[in-house]
């Protein structure tokens, strides 16, 4: 909209300024901005008791503390707790599809600890995680894979084969890997519950502090995906 101002006698600068403001208002009313604000990024924390928050208050669980840490950094996120205590990778594979409804913007996979504790052949969790990653890739959902380590009581070959599956699968699907979910917490009595396995609320906070940069990168990928989908919408 073009507005022309004549140099008529008596037209003061003040009046001209008011006319310009009015013209701008008319233009904004005729052509309102169609840009909608970005909605919060939804992250599905998909795992076992380490995600579910075994032995700690719901507010101290990994998803809850992670959301608080991300919000403190200025991110608009919703972290959903999809942890099931005692779950193996087989159980995770069975429930993945319904856990993805509604579809999240990103997923953190934390599974495998119970497979290792039970001495399940590493070929089984490898195949299960492979199928999960293939599923998520097909749906275009950004993923952060978190690794686990096998206990030493099953022997060196078992430990080697189990521990290797996480970096190998991360490379196969080109997804980022946080090598060990319990880094800095495992076997530390100041961070673990009396069972020596599950983190306390303080231990969960330590996990969140260490993994936060990787999750922030995941959020950035999810936001980019959101923007791309929004741009493709007619």
């Amino acid at each position: 909209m073009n507005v022309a101002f004549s140099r008529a006698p008596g037209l003061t600068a003040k009046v001209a300024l008011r006319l310009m403001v009015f013209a701008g208002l008319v233009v904004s009313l005729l052509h309102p901005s169609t840009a909608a604000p970005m909605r919060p990024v939804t992250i599905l924390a998909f795992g076992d008791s380490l995600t579910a928050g075994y032995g700690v208050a719901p507010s101290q669980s990994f998803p809850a503390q992670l959301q608080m840490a991300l919000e403190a950094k200025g991110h608009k996120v919703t972290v959903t707790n999809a942890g099931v205590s005692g779950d193996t990778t087989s159980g995770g594979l069975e429930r993945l599809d319904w856990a993805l409804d509604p579809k999240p913007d990103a997923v953190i996979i934390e599974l495998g600890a119970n497979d290792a504790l039970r001495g399940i052949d590493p070929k089984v969790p490898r195949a299960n995680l492979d199928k999960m990653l293939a599923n998520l890739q097909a749906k275009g959902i950004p993923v952060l894979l978190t690794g686990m380590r096998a206990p030493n009581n099953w022997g060196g070959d078992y430990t080697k084969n189990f521990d290797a599956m996480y970096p190998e699968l991360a490379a196969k699907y080109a997804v980022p890997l946080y090598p060990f979910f319990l880094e800095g917490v495992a076997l530390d009595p100041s961070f673990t519950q009396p069972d020596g396995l599950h983190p306390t609320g303080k231990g969960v906070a330590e996990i969140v502090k260490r993994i936060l940069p990787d999750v922030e990168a995941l959020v950035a990928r999810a936001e980019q995906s959101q923007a791309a989908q929004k741009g493709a919408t007619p």
Side-chain angles (χ1 to χ4, degrees), residues 150-183:
N152 297 325
N153 55 299
W154 300 119
D157 287 343
Y158 184 96
T159 299
K160 179 181 177 181
N161 292 330
F162 183 91
D163 294 358
M165 68 182 176
Y166 293 99
E168 289 172 1
L169 288 170
K172 178 179 179 180
Y173 288 96
V175 298
L177 171 69
Y178 184 73
F180 183 36
F181 186 75
L182 294 174
E183 183 67 43

PDB file of all heavy atoms in Angstrom, residues 150-183:
ATOM      1  N   ALA A 150      27.851 -54.118  29.613  1.00  0.00           N
ATOM      2  CA  ALA A 150      27.542 -55.413  30.221  1.00  0.00           C
ATOM      3  C   ALA A 150      28.360 -55.614  31.495  1.00  0.00           C
ATOM      4  O   ALA A 150      29.495 -55.143  31.593  1.00  0.00           O
ATOM      5  CB  ALA A 150      27.847 -56.533  29.231  1.00  0.00           C
ATOM      6  N   PRO A 151      27.786 -56.319  32.485  1.00  0.00           N
ATOM      7  CA  PRO A 151      28.565 -56.658  33.684  1.00  0.00           C
ATOM      8  C   PRO A 151      29.666 -57.659  33.323  1.00  0.00           C
ATOM      9  O   PRO A 151      29.575 -58.352  32.308  1.00  0.00           O
ATOM     10  CB  PRO A 151      27.525 -57.278  34.612  1.00  0.00           C
ATOM     11  CG  PRO A 151      26.466 -57.808  33.699  1.00  0.00           C
ATOM     12  CD  PRO A 151      26.422 -56.856  32.538  1.00  0.00           C
ATOM     13  N   ASN A 152      30.690 -57.720  34.159  1.00  0.00           N
ATOM     14  CA  ASN A 152      31.843 -58.572  33.857  1.00  0.00           C
ATOM     15  C   ASN A 152      31.611 -60.060  34.104  1.00  0.00           C
ATOM     16  O   ASN A 152      32.421 -60.886  33.675  1.00  0.00           O
ATOM     17  CB  ASN A 152      33.051 -58.110  34.675  1.00  0.00           C
ATOM     18  CG  ASN A 152      33.492 -56.702  34.313  1.00  0.00           C
ATOM     19  OD1 ASN A 152      33.398 -56.302  33.157  1.00  0.00           O
ATOM     20  ND2 ASN A 152      33.956 -55.955  35.298  1.00  0.00           N
ATOM     21  N   ASN A 153      30.514 -60.393  34.788  1.00  0.00           N
ATOM     22  CA  ASN A 153      30.338 -61.790  35.200  1.00  0.00           C
ATOM     23  C   ASN A 153      29.999 -62.739  34.049  1.00  0.00           C
ATOM     24  O   ASN A 153      30.036 -63.959  34.222  1.00  0.00           O
ATOM     25  CB  ASN A 153      29.256 -61.902  36.277  1.00  0.00           C
ATOM     26  CG  ASN A 153      27.936 -61.287  35.849  1.00  0.00           C
ATOM     27  OD1 ASN A 153      27.861 -60.098  35.582  1.00  0.00           O
ATOM     28  ND2 ASN A 153      26.885 -62.087  35.797  1.00  0.00           N
ATOM     29  N   TRP A 154      29.684 -62.212  32.862  1.00  0.00           N
ATOM     30  CA  TRP A 154      29.363 -63.091  31.732  1.00  0.00           C
ATOM     31  C   TRP A 154      30.576 -63.409  30.864  1.00  0.00           C
ATOM     32  O   TRP A 154      30.460 -64.117  29.877  1.00  0.00           O
ATOM     33  CB  TRP A 154      28.261 -62.468  30.869  1.00  0.00           C
ATOM     34  CG  TRP A 154      26.978 -62.222  31.593  1.00  0.00           C
ATOM     35  CD1 TRP A 154      26.373 -61.016  31.785  1.00  0.00           C
ATOM     36  CD2 TRP A 154      26.131 -63.177  32.227  1.00  0.00           C
ATOM     37  NE1 TRP A 154      25.214 -61.144  32.499  1.00  0.00           N
ATOM     38  CE2 TRP A 154      25.041 -62.479  32.792  1.00  0.00           C
ATOM     39  CE3 TRP A 154      26.190 -64.559  32.403  1.00  0.00           C
ATOM     40  CZ2 TRP A 154      24.020 -63.099  33.494  1.00  0.00           C
ATOM     41  CZ3 TRP A 154      25.172 -65.187  33.107  1.00  0.00           C
ATOM     42  CH2 TRP A 154      24.106 -64.471  33.638  1.00  0.00           C
ATOM     43  N   GLY A 155      31.716 -62.879  31.217  1.00  0.00           N
ATOM     44  CA  GLY A 155      32.925 -63.181  30.460  1.00  0.00           C
ATOM     45  C   GLY A 155      33.281 -62.115  29.440  1.00  0.00           C
ATOM     46  O   GLY A 155      32.458 -61.282  29.067  1.00  0.00           O
ATOM     47  N   GLY A 156      34.544 -62.151  29.002  1.00  0.00           N
ATOM     48  CA  GLY A 156      35.060 -61.125  28.108  1.00  0.00           C
ATOM     49  C   GLY A 156      34.391 -61.076  26.753  1.00  0.00           C
ATOM     50  O   GLY A 156      34.136 -59.990  26.216  1.00  0.00           O
ATOM     51  N   ASP A 157      34.082 -62.238  26.182  1.00  0.00           N
ATOM     52  CA  ASP A 157      33.463 -62.264  24.854  1.00  0.00           C
ATOM     53  C   ASP A 157      32.074 -61.637  24.894  1.00  0.00           C
ATOM     54  O   ASP A 157      31.689 -60.889  23.980  1.00  0.00           O
ATOM     55  CB  ASP A 157      33.368 -63.699  24.329  1.00  0.00           C
ATOM     56  CG  ASP A 157      34.716 -64.251  23.901  1.00  0.00           C
ATOM     57  OD1 ASP A 157      35.645 -63.440  23.700  1.00  0.00           O
ATOM     58  OD2 ASP A 157      34.837 -65.483  23.772  1.00  0.00           O
ATOM     59  N   TYR A 158      31.330 -61.965  25.938  1.00  0.00           N
ATOM     60  CA  TYR A 158      29.986 -61.410  26.071  1.00  0.00           C
ATOM     61  C   TYR A 158      30.071 -59.884  26.173  1.00  0.00           C
ATOM     62  O   TYR A 158      29.359 -59.154  25.461  1.00  0.00           O
ATOM     63  CB  TYR A 158      29.277 -61.972  27.301  1.00  0.00           C
ATOM     64  CG  TYR A 158      27.840 -61.510  27.434  1.00  0.00           C
ATOM     65  CD1 TYR A 158      26.795 -62.297  26.959  1.00  0.00           C
ATOM     66  CD2 TYR A 158      27.526 -60.277  28.010  1.00  0.00           C
ATOM     67  CE1 TYR A 158      25.472 -61.863  27.048  1.00  0.00           C
ATOM     68  CE2 TYR A 158      26.216 -59.839  28.107  1.00  0.00           C
ATOM     69  CZ  TYR A 158      25.188 -60.639  27.633  1.00  0.00           C
ATOM     70  OH  TYR A 158      23.890 -60.202  27.724  1.00  0.00           O
ATOM     71  N   THR A 159      30.931 -59.408  27.055  1.00  0.00           N
ATOM     72  CA  THR A 159      31.074 -57.963  27.263  1.00  0.00           C
ATOM     73  C   THR A 159      31.473 -57.261  25.970  1.00  0.00           C
ATOM     74  O   THR A 159      30.911 -56.210  25.612  1.00  0.00           O
ATOM     75  CB  THR A 159      32.123 -57.684  28.348  1.00  0.00           C
ATOM     76  OG1 THR A 159      31.694 -58.279  29.577  1.00  0.00           O
ATOM     77  CG2 THR A 159      32.320 -56.193  28.553  1.00  0.00           C
ATOM     78  N   LYS A 160      32.414 -57.826  25.257  1.00  0.00           N
ATOM     79  CA  LYS A 160      32.884 -57.236  24.012  1.00  0.00           C
ATOM     80  C   LYS A 160      31.757 -57.136  22.984  1.00  0.00           C
ATOM     81  O   LYS A 160      31.562 -56.082  22.359  1.00  0.00           O
ATOM     82  CB  LYS A 160      34.039 -58.065  23.452  1.00  0.00           C
ATOM     83  CG  LYS A 160      34.591 -57.550  22.133  1.00  0.00           C
ATOM     84  CD  LYS A 160      35.715 -58.454  21.638  1.00  0.00           C
ATOM     85  CE  LYS A 160      36.232 -57.985  20.284  1.00  0.00           C
ATOM     86  NZ  LYS A 160      37.313 -58.870  19.775  1.00  0.00           N
ATOM     87  N   ASN A 161      31.022 -58.221  22.807  1.00  0.00           N
ATOM     88  CA  ASN A 161      29.946 -58.239  21.809  1.00  0.00           C
ATOM     89  C   ASN A 161      28.782 -57.329  22.201  1.00  0.00           C
ATOM     90  O   ASN A 161      28.190 -56.660  21.343  1.00  0.00           O
ATOM     91  CB  ASN A 161      29.442 -59.672  21.606  1.00  0.00           C
ATOM     92  CG  ASN A 161      30.465 -60.563  20.941  1.00  0.00           C
ATOM     93  OD1 ASN A 161      31.285 -60.099  20.147  1.00  0.00           O
ATOM     94  ND2 ASN A 161      30.438 -61.846  21.256  1.00  0.00           N
ATOM     95  N   PHE A 162      28.460 -57.318  23.486  1.00  0.00           N
ATOM     96  CA  PHE A 162      27.344 -56.481  23.952  1.00  0.00           C
ATOM     97  C   PHE A 162      27.694 -54.998  23.812  1.00  0.00           C
ATOM     98  O   PHE A 162      26.924 -54.222  23.245  1.00  0.00           O
ATOM     99  CB  PHE A 162      27.000 -56.811  25.403  1.00  0.00           C
ATOM    100  CG  PHE A 162      25.808 -56.044  25.925  1.00  0.00           C
ATOM    101  CD1 PHE A 162      24.529 -56.567  25.813  1.00  0.00           C
ATOM    102  CD2 PHE A 162      25.968 -54.788  26.502  1.00  0.00           C
ATOM    103  CE1 PHE A 162      23.427 -55.852  26.274  1.00  0.00           C
ATOM    104  CE2 PHE A 162      24.877 -54.072  26.961  1.00  0.00           C
ATOM    105  CZ  PHE A 162      23.606 -54.597  26.848  1.00  0.00           C
ATOM    106  N   ASP A 163      28.828 -54.613  24.353  1.00  0.00           N
ATOM    107  CA  ASP A 163      29.201 -53.198  24.351  1.00  0.00           C
ATOM    108  C   ASP A 163      29.379 -52.646  22.940  1.00  0.00           C
ATOM    109  O   ASP A 163      29.134 -51.462  22.685  1.00  0.00           O
ATOM    110  CB  ASP A 163      30.494 -52.991  25.146  1.00  0.00           C
ATOM    111  CG  ASP A 163      30.330 -53.286  26.637  1.00  0.00           C
ATOM    112  OD1 ASP A 163      29.199 -53.618  27.060  1.00  0.00           O
ATOM    113  OD2 ASP A 163      31.329 -53.192  27.373  1.00  0.00           O
ATOM    114  N   ALA A 164      29.793 -53.513  22.003  1.00  0.00           N
ATOM    115  CA  ALA A 164      30.070 -53.049  20.645  1.00  0.00           C
ATOM    116  C   ALA A 164      28.821 -52.736  19.836  1.00  0.00           C
ATOM    117  O   ALA A 164      28.885 -51.991  18.852  1.00  0.00           O
ATOM    118  CB  ALA A 164      30.899 -54.099  19.901  1.00  0.00           C
ATOM    119  N   MET A 165      27.684 -53.292  20.246  1.00  0.00           N
ATOM    120  CA  MET A 165      26.500 -53.144  19.390  1.00  0.00           C
ATOM    121  C   MET A 165      26.018 -51.692  19.320  1.00  0.00           C
ATOM    122  O   MET A 165      25.477 -51.267  18.290  1.00  0.00           O
ATOM    123  CB  MET A 165      25.365 -54.053  19.861  1.00  0.00           C
ATOM    124  CG  MET A 165      24.742 -53.691  21.177  1.00  0.00           C
ATOM    125  SD  MET A 165      23.462 -54.908  21.613  1.00  0.00           S
ATOM    126  CE  MET A 165      22.985 -54.325  23.239  1.00  0.00           C
ATOM    127  N   TYR A 166      26.206 -50.913  20.374  1.00  0.00           N
ATOM    128  CA  TYR A 166      25.704 -49.536  20.368  1.00  0.00           C
ATOM    129  C   TYR A 166      26.441 -48.658  19.358  1.00  0.00           C
ATOM    130  O   TYR A 166      25.790 -48.016  18.507  1.00  0.00           O
ATOM    131  CB  TYR A 166      25.764 -48.946  21.778  1.00  0.00           C
ATOM    132  CG  TYR A 166      24.808 -49.608  22.740  1.00  0.00           C
ATOM    133  CD1 TYR A 166      25.247 -50.587  23.623  1.00  0.00           C
ATOM    134  CD2 TYR A 166      23.458 -49.267  22.753  1.00  0.00           C
ATOM    135  CE1 TYR A 166      24.374 -51.210  24.508  1.00  0.00           C
ATOM    136  CE2 TYR A 166      22.567 -49.880  23.630  1.00  0.00           C
ATOM    137  CZ  TYR A 166      23.033 -50.855  24.498  1.00  0.00           C
ATOM    138  OH  TYR A 166      22.159 -51.471  25.360  1.00  0.00           O
ATOM    139  N   PRO A 167      27.777 -48.586  19.405  1.00  0.00           N
ATOM    140  CA  PRO A 167      28.444 -47.764  18.383  1.00  0.00           C
ATOM    141  C   PRO A 167      28.254 -48.287  16.964  1.00  0.00           C
ATOM    142  O   PRO A 167      28.170 -47.503  16.011  1.00  0.00           O
ATOM    143  CB  PRO A 167      29.925 -47.802  18.804  1.00  0.00           C
ATOM    144  CG  PRO A 167      30.053 -48.963  19.722  1.00  0.00           C
ATOM    145  CD  PRO A 167      28.732 -49.100  20.399  1.00  0.00           C
ATOM    146  N   GLU A 168      28.150 -49.600  16.825  1.00  0.00           N
ATOM    147  CA  GLU A 168      27.966 -50.162  15.488  1.00  0.00           C
ATOM    148  C   GLU A 168      26.589 -49.803  14.920  1.00  0.00           C
ATOM    149  O   GLU A 168      26.465 -49.449  13.733  1.00  0.00           O
ATOM    150  CB  GLU A 168      28.156 -51.670  15.530  1.00  0.00           C
ATOM    151  CG  GLU A 168      29.618 -52.071  15.758  1.00  0.00           C
ATOM    152  CD  GLU A 168      29.819 -53.555  15.994  1.00  0.00           C
ATOM    153  OE1 GLU A 168      28.820 -54.316  15.965  1.00  0.00           O
ATOM    154  OE2 GLU A 168      30.970 -53.952  16.220  1.00  0.00           O
ATOM    155  N   LEU A 169      25.562 -49.867  15.749  1.00  0.00           N
ATOM    156  CA  LEU A 169      24.227 -49.505  15.279  1.00  0.00           C
ATOM    157  C   LEU A 169      24.099 -48.002  15.055  1.00  0.00           C
ATOM    158  O   LEU A 169      23.424 -47.557  14.113  1.00  0.00           O
ATOM    159  CB  LEU A 169      23.171 -49.976  16.290  1.00  0.00           C
ATOM    160  CG  LEU A 169      22.926 -51.479  16.337  1.00  0.00           C
ATOM    161  CD1 LEU A 169      22.050 -51.850  17.525  1.00  0.00           C
ATOM    162  CD2 LEU A 169      22.277 -51.957  15.035  1.00  0.00           C
ATOM    163  N   ALA A 170      24.753 -47.222  15.914  1.00  0.00           N
ATOM    164  CA  ALA A 170      24.727 -45.772  15.721  1.00  0.00           C
ATOM    165  C   ALA A 170      25.357 -45.397  14.391  1.00  0.00           C
ATOM    166  O   ALA A 170      24.860 -44.519  13.666  1.00  0.00           O
ATOM    167  CB  ALA A 170      25.457 -45.077  16.873  1.00  0.00           C
ATOM    168  N   ALA A 171      26.439 -46.082  14.049  1.00  0.00           N
ATOM    169  CA  ALA A 171      27.099 -45.819  12.766  1.00  0.00           C
ATOM    170  C   ALA A 171      26.224 -46.278  11.602  1.00  0.00           C
ATOM    171  O   ALA A 171      26.131 -45.598  10.574  1.00  0.00           O
ATOM    172  CB  ALA A 171      28.455 -46.529  12.728  1.00  0.00           C
ATOM    173  N   LYS A 172      25.581 -47.426  11.755  1.00  0.00           N
ATOM    174  CA  LYS A 172      24.743 -47.960  10.682  1.00  0.00           C
ATOM    175  C   LYS A 172      23.611 -47.016  10.326  1.00  0.00           C
ATOM    176  O   LYS A 172      23.296 -46.822   9.142  1.00  0.00           O
ATOM    177  CB  LYS A 172      24.170 -49.315  11.103  1.00  0.00           C
ATOM    178  CG  LYS A 172      23.227 -49.932  10.065  1.00  0.00           C
ATOM    179  CD  LYS A 172      22.713 -51.292  10.516  1.00  0.00           C
ATOM    180  CE  LYS A 172      21.749 -51.884   9.493  1.00  0.00           C
ATOM    181  NZ  LYS A 172      21.249 -53.219   9.917  1.00  0.00           N
ATOM    182  N   TYR A 173      22.993 -46.405  11.338  1.00  0.00           N
ATOM    183  CA  TYR A 173      21.839 -45.534  11.094  1.00  0.00           C
ATOM    184  C   TYR A 173      22.188 -44.042  11.170  1.00  0.00           C
ATOM    185  O   TYR A 173      21.298 -43.201  11.093  1.00  0.00           O
ATOM    186  CB  TYR A 173      20.717 -45.873  12.079  1.00  0.00           C
ATOM    187  CG  TYR A 173      20.069 -47.198  11.763  1.00  0.00           C
ATOM    188  CD1 TYR A 173      20.465 -48.365  12.417  1.00  0.00           C
ATOM    189  CD2 TYR A 173      19.108 -47.302  10.771  1.00  0.00           C
ATOM    190  CE1 TYR A 173      19.892 -49.597  12.111  1.00  0.00           C
ATOM    191  CE2 TYR A 173      18.527 -48.522  10.450  1.00  0.00           C
ATOM    192  CZ  TYR A 173      18.927 -49.659  11.119  1.00  0.00           C
ATOM    193  OH  TYR A 173      18.361 -50.885  10.797  1.00  0.00           O
ATOM    194  N   ALA A 174      23.479 -43.746  11.335  1.00  0.00           N
ATOM    195  CA  ALA A 174      23.944 -42.351  11.366  1.00  0.00           C
ATOM    196  C   ALA A 174      23.185 -41.539  12.417  1.00  0.00           C
ATOM    197  O   ALA A 174      22.714 -40.431  12.151  1.00  0.00           O
ATOM    198  CB  ALA A 174      23.815 -41.710   9.986  1.00  0.00           C
ATOM    199  N   VAL A 175      23.050 -42.126  13.613  1.00  0.00           N
ATOM    200  CA  VAL A 175      22.406 -41.415  14.718  1.00  0.00           C
ATOM    201  C   VAL A 175      23.460 -41.127  15.786  1.00  0.00           C
ATOM    202  O   VAL A 175      24.421 -41.883  15.943  1.00  0.00           O
ATOM    203  CB  VAL A 175      21.246 -42.231  15.329  1.00  0.00           C
ATOM    204  CG1 VAL A 175      20.165 -42.476  14.295  1.00  0.00           C
ATOM    205  CG2 VAL A 175      21.732 -43.540  15.922  1.00  0.00           C
ATOM    206  N   PRO A 176      23.297 -40.040  16.536  1.00  0.00           N
ATOM    207  CA  PRO A 176      24.256 -39.741  17.599  1.00  0.00           C
ATOM    208  C   PRO A 176      24.154 -40.756  18.732  1.00  0.00           C
ATOM    209  O   PRO A 176      23.079 -41.286  19.023  1.00  0.00           O
ATOM    210  CB  PRO A 176      23.850 -38.342  18.059  1.00  0.00           C
ATOM    211  CG  PRO A 176      22.433 -38.187  17.631  1.00  0.00           C
ATOM    212  CD  PRO A 176      22.279 -38.994  16.393  1.00  0.00           C
ATOM    213  N   LEU A 177      25.289 -41.012  19.364  1.00  0.00           N
ATOM    214  CA  LEU A 177      25.363 -41.976  20.454  1.00  0.00           C
ATOM    215  C   LEU A 177      25.923 -41.318  21.701  1.00  0.00           C
ATOM    216  O   LEU A 177      26.981 -40.670  21.654  1.00  0.00           O
ATOM    217  CB  LEU A 177      26.254 -43.154  20.047  1.00  0.00           C
ATOM    218  CG  LEU A 177      26.617 -44.158  21.158  1.00  0.00           C
ATOM    219  CD1 LEU A 177      25.383 -44.943  21.588  1.00  0.00           C
ATOM    220  CD2 LEU A 177      27.724 -45.095  20.699  1.00  0.00           C
ATOM    221  N   TYR A 178      25.203 -41.476  22.808  1.00  0.00           N
ATOM    222  CA  TYR A 178      25.765 -41.139  24.120  1.00  0.00           C
ATOM    223  C   TYR A 178      26.284 -42.464  24.655  1.00  0.00           C
ATOM    224  O   TYR A 178      25.494 -43.346  25.004  1.00  0.00           O
ATOM    225  CB  TYR A 178      24.686 -40.545  25.032  1.00  0.00           C
ATOM    226  CG  TYR A 178      25.233 -40.092  26.372  1.00  0.00           C
ATOM    227  CD1 TYR A 178      26.017 -38.941  26.459  1.00  0.00           C
ATOM    228  CD2 TYR A 178      24.970 -40.815  27.527  1.00  0.00           C
ATOM    229  CE1 TYR A 178      26.521 -38.524  27.685  1.00  0.00           C
ATOM    230  CE2 TYR A 178      25.473 -40.400  28.756  1.00  0.00           C
ATOM    231  CZ  TYR A 178      26.249 -39.253  28.823  1.00  0.00           C
ATOM    232  OH  TYR A 178      26.756 -38.834  30.034  1.00  0.00           O
ATOM    233  N   PRO A 179      27.601 -42.671  24.708  1.00  0.00           N
ATOM    234  CA  PRO A 179      28.169 -44.013  24.876  1.00  0.00           C
ATOM    235  C   PRO A 179      27.691 -44.826  26.074  1.00  0.00           C
ATOM    236  O   PRO A 179      27.470 -46.031  25.954  1.00  0.00           O
ATOM    237  CB  PRO A 179      29.673 -43.739  24.959  1.00  0.00           C
ATOM    238  CG  PRO A 179      29.858 -42.464  24.200  1.00  0.00           C
ATOM    239  CD  PRO A 179      28.635 -41.657  24.506  1.00  0.00           C
ATOM    240  N   PHE A 180      27.531 -44.171  27.243  1.00  0.00           N
ATOM    241  CA  PHE A 180      27.151 -44.926  28.437  1.00  0.00           C
ATOM    242  C   PHE A 180      26.194 -44.086  29.263  1.00  0.00           C
ATOM    243  O   PHE A 180      26.570 -43.061  29.826  1.00  0.00           O
ATOM    244  CB  PHE A 180      28.394 -45.296  29.244  1.00  0.00           C
ATOM    245  CG  PHE A 180      28.128 -46.131  30.468  1.00  0.00           C
ATOM    246  CD1 PHE A 180      27.139 -47.101  30.485  1.00  0.00           C
ATOM    247  CD2 PHE A 180      28.886 -45.946  31.620  1.00  0.00           C
ATOM    248  CE1 PHE A 180      26.901 -47.869  31.618  1.00  0.00           C
ATOM    249  CE2 PHE A 180      28.661 -46.709  32.758  1.00  0.00           C
ATOM    250  CZ  PHE A 180      27.666 -47.675  32.756  1.00  0.00           C
ATOM    251  N   PHE A 181      24.941 -44.538  29.349  1.00  0.00           N
ATOM    252  CA  PHE A 181      23.906 -43.758  30.022  1.00  0.00           C
ATOM    253  C   PHE A 181      24.271 -43.446  31.474  1.00  0.00           C
ATOM    254  O   PHE A 181      23.948 -42.375  31.979  1.00  0.00           O
ATOM    255  CB  PHE A 181      22.575 -44.517  29.975  1.00  0.00           C
ATOM    256  CG  PHE A 181      21.403 -43.742  30.514  1.00  0.00           C
ATOM    257  CD1 PHE A 181      20.844 -42.712  29.773  1.00  0.00           C
ATOM    258  CD2 PHE A 181      20.860 -44.034  31.759  1.00  0.00           C
ATOM    259  CE1 PHE A 181      19.757 -41.983  30.264  1.00  0.00           C
ATOM    260  CE2 PHE A 181      19.784 -43.321  32.253  1.00  0.00           C
ATOM    261  CZ  PHE A 181      19.235 -42.288  31.504  1.00  0.00           C
ATOM    262  N   LEU A 182      24.938 -44.376  32.148  1.00  0.00           N
ATOM    263  CA  LEU A 182      25.269 -44.210  33.568  1.00  0.00           C
ATOM    264  C   LEU A 182      26.674 -43.656  33.788  1.00  0.00           C
ATOM    265  O   LEU A 182      27.238 -43.803  34.878  1.00  0.00           O
ATOM    266  CB  LEU A 182      25.121 -45.546  34.296  1.00  0.00           C
ATOM    267  CG  LEU A 182      23.693 -46.104  34.385  1.00  0.00           C
ATOM    268  CD1 LEU A 182      23.708 -47.503  34.991  1.00  0.00           C
ATOM    269  CD2 LEU A 182      22.798 -45.183  35.212  1.00  0.00           C
ATOM    270  N   GLU A 183      27.225 -43.002  32.792  1.00  0.00           N
ATOM    271  CA  GLU A 183      28.566 -42.432  32.909  1.00  0.00           C
ATOM    272  C   GLU A 183      28.656 -41.500  34.124  1.00  0.00           C
ATOM    273  O   GLU A 183      27.830 -40.614  34.304  1.00  0.00           O
ATOM    274  CB  GLU A 183      28.915 -41.653  31.637  1.00  0.00           C
ATOM    275  CG  GLU A 183      30.323 -41.086  31.615  1.00  0.00           C
ATOM    276  CD  GLU A 183      31.371 -42.184  31.543  1.00  0.00           C
ATOM    277  OE1 GLU A 183      31.189 -43.147  30.766  1.00  0.00           O
ATOM    278  OE2 GLU A 183      32.375 -42.074  32.272  1.00  0.00           O
TER     279      GLU A 183
END
